[in-house]
Amino acid sequence: MEEQVVVLAAVTVLAVLQQAYFSLQVIYARRKFSVSPPVVTGPPAFERIFRAQANCSEYFPIFIAVLWTSGVFFSQGLSSVCGLLYLYGRFHYFHGYSEAAQQRLAPLYFSARVLWVLIGFSVLGVFLSFCRVYLQVDLLTELGSALGLD
Ligand code: JUQ
């Protein structure tokens, strides 16, 4: 069991540290631009950092849910690679957005595509598992036989 999820756990811890890093950047920006809570408006440079962190947080639960679903039901390796790519995309999204709204777009599209891949792996993994548990059909084994791979 442990070896089937330990890499997913490592990616999850890294993702949490990245969220903490984004939050720290908002704290520094509040000091730099003198924007005290609960105010969330200020110079555009502050608002971009604030929105970048808020947007990354908004997608964090969806990301973690599909990272684990696809990792447990489909493949830990592929899921973890996608997880790292997503975090890489979000890092560039955050820093791109901090510079200019336009610069957030390329990394945003990249992260969104990686998230679709994780959703696809999740759907496939859960579907195959469902067929095994409730229909006693192992579609991967069936596919292997049909292709003469066994
Ligand atoms: C919602 C639910 C599931 C999405 C891709 C994949 C799955 C995103 C849209 C963002 C932002 C940031 C900004 C990481 C067309 C379907 C999804 C999903 C969205 N998409 N937006 C936006 C707010 O700076 O504008 O972070 N992230 C997404 O995915 C694409 C959407």
Side-chain angles (χ1 to χ4, degrees):
M1 166 66 186
E2 234 182 343
E3 68 271 19
Q4 281 156 16
V5 292
V6 66
V7 187
L8 294 173
V11 175
T12 303
V13 173
L14 190 65
V16 168
L17 291 176
Q18 185 184 56
Q19 286 294 117
Y21 168 78
F22 293 156
S23 292
L24 274 173
Q25 303 310 304
V26 174
I27 293 171
Y28 297 149
R30 281 192 177 281
R31 282 198 203 129
K32 181 176 171 187
F33 298 103
S34 306
V35 181
S36 299
V39 177
V40 293
T41 51
F46 167 77
E47 291 185 357
R48 286 198 306 271
I49 293 171
F50 181 82
R51 282 312 313 169
Q53 188 268 337
N55 292 340
C56 292
S57 302
E58 195 174 313
Y59 284 87
F60 188 70
I62 299 176
F63 165 65
I64 294 295
V66 290
L67 174 74
W68 278 84
T69 307
S70 121
V72 168
F73 292 96
F74 188 70
S75 153
Q76 173 175 232
L78 289 174
S79 189
S80 300
V81 169
C82 288
L84 290 177
L85 289 174
Y86 182 84
L87 296 182
Y88 169 84
R90 279 301 181 185
F91 182 83
H92 286 285
Y93 167 83
F94 185 90
H95 287 288
Y97 204 171
S98 303
E99 294 295 321
Q102 170 70 27
Q103 285 185 40
R104 84 190 195 286
L105 292 177
L108 173 58
Y109 298 152
F110 176 80
S111 297
R113 272 198 290 271
V114 176
L115 197 59
W116 282 122
V117 172
L118 281 172
I119 292 170
F121 287 165
S122 299
V123 169
L124 194 60
V126 169
F127 176 73
L128 292 174
S129 197
F130 204 86
C131 290
R132 271 196 303 274
V133 173
Y134 291 104
L135 306 173
Q136 284 78 46
V137 181
D138 193 332
L139 288 175
L140 286 183
T141 309
E142 300 284 329
L143 183 68
S145 323
L147 296 172
L149 297 175
D150 51 345

